[in-house]
Amino acid sequence: MSLAGLFDVDSAVTGQQVRAEPIQRRSAERLSALLDAAAEAVDAVGFDRITTAMIAERAGASIGTVYRYYPDRVAVLQALHERTVQRFRERVVEEFESSPPTTWWDVVDCAVSAFVGLYRSEPGFRIMQFADREGATLGEGTPSDDVARETGFFATRLAMVLAARFGLPDEPELIFRVEIAVEMADSLLCRAFLHDPLGDERFIAECRRVVHDYLATFYGPVVAFPGVDVSVAV
Amino acid sequence: MSLAGLFDVDSAVTGQQVRAEPIQRRSAERLSALLDAAAEAVDAVGFDRITTAMIAERAGASIGTVYRYYPDRVAVLQALHERTVQRFRERVVEEFESSPPTTWWDVVDCAVSAFVGLYRSEPGFRIMQFADREGATLGEGTPSDDVARETGFFATRLAMVLAARFGLPDEPELIFRVEIAVEMADSLLCRAFLHDPLGDERFIAECRRVVHDYLATFYGPVVAFPGVDVSVAV
DNA sequence: CTTATATGATCGAGTTCCGTTCTGTGACCA
DNA sequence: TGGTCACAGAACGGAACTCGATCATATAAG
């Protein structure tokens, strides 16, 4: 099983948020144009301030067109979220290919780099944080419970890679620990970009260190880990 | 400077979200009744499903009364958030008094216990997570930039306690590291309560371990720390 | 102590804004 | 030329928010 395969598109969780599959090619372009518009709007005004009219206008479409493809407002945001998660996975794979990982740490490093890179370049990337938490707040009758567990899903995939390719023990604990690591990294990276659009380097660096140290507690330190002193200081 | 003083009410960040200060005593009761109602509503339907009418009805007031005290819907949620943060601080102080801390770890431990305890007992406590992130998404023209930095504010206070009472070096790094720790703990504890209303013990325990290990990297391990093996395993 | 008056506090119908639906019109295909 | 796909924007409904009328309380005057 290849790295790319593990993270690939087909294995993604697909919520049925699209109302009508695009028949003509023109439609597919409209669809992505709508998501692009939503992504811009996310950066411009934030999640909640987004109006359907705003999305339609930025996409050069009309209100009706939005509702042709999505059942409601939040479905658009969910679709954007899924596309963003997908692009994140693709970006991780790209990082793998440009600098093939040789240790489990390299895998984590690639994931962090991918996250940071996309946060800087991809409009509306902050939507990553959003839906994960939001799915929980919807609480009771949410149909797509899968979406709420995106982070857990990604962690599971990542754990599989680490087990299959780098000999980490394939136990249930592995998934749990990777999820812990993902959760920590996510929060620290989001914090890094909270006020700084380029991302506060101190938080990014500390994120790498924290994740490394945490996993190294169980799976041994990586030799020649750059810039981190694992020993106890002061 | 006492522990209680460090966390006390007066030093809290006060966003001017209240439209009119209550003159008569009756008003103060109304105000807290509105927040109580909002808190119930948070648990009942989640953030976004909350309507102003819902808050008014639960509080036994009318729509107009809500808008007498708060400029808009989100201001009510922000006020609830601040009150919750305040109660969290008070709870931490209570924990301090019931079992006085003797090491820096005890302080962290109290904070975690306070967080978990309130999540279980205080209605609408999940609002903690919310506004921190949300303040950021509001982005540009937010008048109260202070509110967005609640976490950072709390971390600063906590760092002061650790420095003043437990001899941790009073450097800028301390604040930064405490903020990292708070950020990690926050995300892991929220994750613990994401699907489990009582909080997943595994995540709570791992939160304690992670925070301890991180701070111990800089400030030395705590002797006889319960149940955590600081040495590298496997 | 009673009454007058000002101001705080409350209410809820009315207004506006926004999400969503629906109907009419044009574009592509057989 | 009939039929389906795609689109636009007016129309609808509900929720956020405003505003003037009304009630409650505190202070001042008699």
Side-chain angles (χ1 to χ4, degrees), chain A residues 175-234:
Chain A
I175 293 178
F176 174 71
R177 286 163 186 167
V178 172
E179 187 171 354
I180 292 279
V182 169
E183 203 72 41
M184 292 191 305
D186 188 47
S187 69
L188 292 181
L189 291 177
C190 284
R191 173 60 186 82
F193 284 90
L194 191 58
H195 303 116
D196 185 349
L198 269 64
D200 188 326
E201 282 296 345
R202 298 200 312 159
F203 282 89
I204 296 172
E206 204 70 352
C207 169
R208 292 183 196 272
R209 177 228 287 275
V210 160
V211 172
H212 173 271
D213 287 7
Y214 175 68
L215 292 177
T217 304
F218 307 102
Y219 308 112
V222 175
V223 288
F225 175 69
V228 169
D229 186 2
V230 183
S231 66
V232 175
V234 173

Side-chain angles (χ1 to χ4, degrees), chain A residues 9-28:
Chain A
V9 173
D10 304 333
S11 55
V13 183
T14 56
Q16 305 96 313
Q17 77 286 26
V18 196
R19 208 172 217 180
E21 282 305 309
I23 308 292
Q24 305 179 0
R25 177 161 39 87
R26 178 169 56 147
S27 304

Side-chain angles (χ1 to χ4, degrees), chain A residues 48 134 191 194 206 214 233, chain B residues 48 134 136 179 206 214 218:
Chain A
D48 2 303
E134 205 60 17
R191 173 60 186 82
L194 191 58
E206 204 70 352
Y214 175 68
Chain B
D48 1 303
E134 204 61 17
E179 187 171 355
E206 202 71 352
Y214 174 68
F218 307 102

